[in-house]
């Protein structure tokens, strides 16, 4: 459900636009995508966990807002981000 600190550092390093970058939209979307993927796997075994499902919907909504922001700012940046993350849209 949450990300291990080592995995989070690896995701940040992969998607950072410059050194020490932890807050750019690319990094935030990548971290949210990692959390969403973890929760999706969790629901394969815990089908009736509706409380966590609400949290998943909030994460998806937050990621969608960040992606809309990136799309408004720079279309090319948006395209490369969703391609790198494997998000279909």
């Amino acid at each position: 459900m949450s990300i291990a600190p080592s995995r989070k550092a690896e995701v940040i390093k992969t998607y950072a636009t410059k050194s020490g970058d932890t807050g750019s939209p690319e990094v935030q979307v990548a971290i949210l995508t990692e959390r969403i993927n973890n929760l999706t796997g969790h629901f394969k075994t815990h089908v009736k966990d509706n409380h966590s499902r609400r949290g998943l919907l909030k994460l998806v909504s937050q990621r969608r807002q960040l992606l809309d922001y990136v799309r408004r700012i720079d279309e090319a940046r948006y395209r490369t981000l969703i391609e790198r993350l494997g998000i279909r849209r």
Side-chain angles (χ1 to χ4, degrees), residues 48-65:
K48 295 185 178 183
D49 188 359
N50 291 319
H51 287 84
S52 295
R53 195 172 305 276
R54 179 175 185 268
L56 172 68
L57 292 175
K58 288 176 75 172
L59 290 176
V60 170
S61 174
Q62 189 176 2
R63 181 178 72 176
R64 180 78 259 147
Q65 288 176 347

Side-chain angles (χ1 to χ4, degrees), residues 17-89:
T17 55
K18 60 183 178 193
S19 68
D21 178 21
T22 58
S24 70
E26 289 88 351
V27 172
Q28 292 181 44
V29 169
I31 290 171
L32 285 172
T33 301
E34 186 74 21
R35 290 180 64 194
I36 288 168
N37 291 340
N38 288 345
L39 274 174
T40 304
H42 169 78
F43 290 127
K44 291 189 189 324
T45 56
H46 302 91
V47 178
K48 295 185 178 183
D49 188 359
N50 291 319
H51 287 84
S52 295
R53 195 172 305 276
R54 179 175 185 268
L56 172 68
L57 292 175
K58 288 176 75 172
L59 290 176
V60 170
S61 174
Q62 189 176 2
R63 181 178 72 176
R64 180 78 259 147
Q65 288 176 347
L66 283 168
L67 284 171
D68 288 343
Y69 167 76
V70 173
R71 189 174 192 178
R72 260 194 333 265
I73 300 303
D74 189 358
E75 182 77 25
R77 217 165 122 186
Y78 169 78
R79 294 263 178 230
T80 58
L81 181 60
I82 62 171
E83 186 177 306
R84 283 178 70 189
L85 288 171
I87 301 173
R88 62 169 186 198
R89 173 104 175 150

